[in-house]
Amino acid sequence: MTHKIAVLPGDGIGPEIMEQAVRVLKALDLDLSIDEAPVGGAAYDLKGHPLPPETLALAQASSAVLFGAVGDWKYDKLPREHRPEQAILGLRRQMGLFANLRPAILYPELASASSLKPEIVSGLDILIIRELTGDIYFGQPRGVRTAVDGQFAGEREGYDTMRYAESEIRRIAKVGFESAQKRNRKLCSVDKANVLETSQFWRDIVIDVAKEYPDVELSHMYVDNAAMQLVKAPRQFDVIVTGNIFGDILSDEAAMLTGSIGMLPSASLNSSGQGLYEPSHGSAPDIAGRNIANPLATILSAAMLLRYSLGLPAQADRIESAVRKVLAAGYRTADIFEENTEKVGTAQMGDAVLKALAG
Ligand code: NAD
């Protein structure tokens, strides 16, 4: 069976890092049909829109999208609907990508890159699953109004609505349990059930969904404690599942535990398993075009694509172990370089991964 993959390199370092990830995918000798299309600022320059209809159609017709990064300061003055970042929001919305998966892995060789002590973070391997399309970010009503009652009656007030429908909680909880089944079978659901009705409801539904997954150990944690535990003893976690706003904050906190943004992949999935896979970093215009960007986050995103959208976990393992080998052999791009390692460029890092794959 041919798997259709849409490759959207984007802006800044996007094309350079994508080139390496595509080389790695092609080296696996799988039946892949890979089509490329412009997105972000590059698409705006070519077609007048950051997410042209042809690019969206290609993404929708594919099993998975491999996305580089978008954005550049030169587009900052464009009206909001034409800014490069709108492409990601449009793809999320149009493809119904509701589950954001962000692993935070700290390879032992890179332990000194973390701002935490190596003994706390070395070997860290957690997966944060953030609900992406609901919660206070999208709840209605929202706006600014004049308060009609209470202590501040007559004053202007800003307000948003936190809400989650039962089906939204069920489907993200399912992703949480199923991801835990593929790992160490521990799921921690993060909420604020001691204060928020939405969170208490979230917790009740997660407990109900847990009945279908007796092999997964479920725990619950309040978000304030989770923020603390992530820096105190992060290795206690396997998979964390949480809502949009808490996940937004915790996934960035977890990313920083590793200290190396150039190493972190991510996935956003919809209910039919289609996904968009991208590095967690941006387009790094400050280093674009110089063959110094780290391509590993994108290469690891390609591994996630194989695992989560194409159902090829053994091939994903092959890429991930090739990356481990390359790090163990001492190859480093500038962002993760330390004394006594070998500094390589973007393309040379790609070469090293290809060699490790073959060896
Ligand atoms: P950034 O992640 O692009 O860069 C932050 C810092 O990390 C920079 O110093 C950069 O050089 C470095 N860096 C990032 N990726 C790297 C890599 N692979 N290898 C080596 N170093 C790397 O964030 P920013 O500077 O805040 O944003 C730059 C642009 O990216 C903006 O236009 C922003 O809107 C956009 N952005 C896009 C995405 C996305 O496409 N998903 C995400 C975040 C930011």
Side-chain angles (χ1 to χ4, degrees):
M1 171 187 163
T2 306
H3 298 284
K4 200 168 156 52
I5 299 177
V7 162
L8 314 183
D11 308 319
I13 58 171
E16 300 164 62
I17 53 181
M18 185 62 82
E19 189 182 335
Q20 304 312 317
V22 169
R23 285 174 75 202
V24 168
L25 278 176
K26 288 186 172 162
L28 294 175
D29 220 9
L30 299 169
D31 195 0
L32 304 177
S33 128
I34 298 179
D35 291 294
E36 193 175 312
V39 75
Y44 177 78
D45 289 343
L46 276 172
K47 314 242 176 178
H49 197 281
L51 182 59
E54 314 85 79
T55 299
L56 175 61
L58 174 70
Q60 287 175 319
S62 303
S63 304
V65 177
L66 191 58
F67 189 96
V70 292
D72 191 297
W73 323 124
K74 72 177 180 181
Y75 303 108
D76 281 356
K77 291 205 173 67
L78 287 175
R80 186 165 299 279
E81 68 274 18
H82 284 147
R83 297 226 189 117
E85 294 75 14
Q86 291 301 315
I88 306 178
L89 299 177
L91 283 164
R92 279 186 191 162
R93 197 172 46 243
Q94 301 285 345
M95 295 177 71
L97 305 171
F98 70 90
N100 183 232
L101 277 58
R102 275 174 64 171
I105 296 177
L106 187 57
Y107 299 92
E109 296 85 0
L110 303 182
S112 61
S114 174
S115 46
L116 298 188
K117 296 190 195 101
E119 62 269 28
I120 292 180
V121 286
S122 184
L124 176 82
D125 182 353
I126 59 185
L127 176 65
I128 301 212
I129 300 179
R130 163 188 172 195
E131 202 287 333
L132 210 51
T133 54
D135 207 349
I136 194 163
Y137 289 176
F138 296 97
Q140 294 289 347
R142 59 195 285 151
V144 175
R145 65 188 170 194
T146 303
V148 286
D149 47 25
Q151 191 188 351
F152 301 105
E155 253 190 67
R156 287 198 314 148
E157 64 176 7
Y159 64 104
D160 296 275
T161 304
M162 178 176 269
R163 58 162 293 286
Y164 262 121
E166 181 171 341
S167 59
E168 286 179 291
I169 304 171
R170 281 190 186 277
R171 66 180 185 177
I172 192 76
K174 236 169 109 77
V175 175
F177 284 105
E178 285 168 14
S179 302
Q181 280 179 325
K182 293 186 186 134
R183 297 169 44 102
N184 294 321
R185 297 172 186 264
K186 275 171 60 186
L187 179 66
C188 178
S189 169
V190 170
D191 61 39
K192 188 71 184 168
N194 50 344
V195 177
L196 298 169
E197 298 295 333
T198 314
S199 273
Q200 183 58 55
F201 183 58
W202 169 284
R203 189 177 282 214
D204 294 345
I205 301 300
V206 171
I207 290 171
D208 194 47
V209 175
K211 292 179 193 149
E212 294 164 44
Y213 302 92
D215 54 334
V216 175
E217 182 194 320
L218 173 67
S219 60
H220 304 274
M221 198 177 275
Y222 297 137
V223 63
D224 42 345
N225 188 25
M228 208 162 67
Q229 294 299 327
L230 271 174
V231 287
K232 186 169 171 235
R235 282 185 307 204
Q236 70 185 282
F237 297 107
D238 177 23
V239 181
I240 290 176
V241 65
T242 189
N244 203 346
I245 187 166
F246 300 151
D248 191 3
I249 299 163
L250 293 183
S251 59
D252 268 17
E253 185 188 3
M256 276 305 103
L257 294 177
T258 73
S260 29
I261 188 140
M263 298 292 306
L264 298 170
S266 80
S268 303
L269 307 177
N270 69 15
S271 42
S272 54
Q274 244 184 338
L276 181 139
Y277 298 81
E278 57 175 331
S280 294
H281 57 74
S283 55
D286 53 332
I287 58 166
R290 292 165 50 196
N291 190 40
I292 57 174
N294 187 345
L296 293 178
T298 315
I299 290 172
L300 292 167
S301 299
M304 288 188 86
L305 179 156
L306 296 171
R307 174 171 289 115
Y308 290 101
S309 283
L310 269 45
L312 299 169
Q315 301 294 339
D317 288 345
R318 277 186 70 195
I319 297 183
E320 287 161 0
S321 72
V323 168
R324 281 177 206 278
K325 270 195 217 164
V326 161
L327 293 173
Y331 295 109
R332 303 283 188 275
T333 40
D335 56 314
I336 51 173
F337 177 72
E338 295 168 281
E339 262 181 44
N340 302 321
T341 60
E342 188 177 339
K343 197 187 273 185
V344 292
T346 312
Q348 293 68 39
M349 188 56 109
D351 294 343
V353 174
L354 287 178
K355 201 165 146 228
L357 265 181

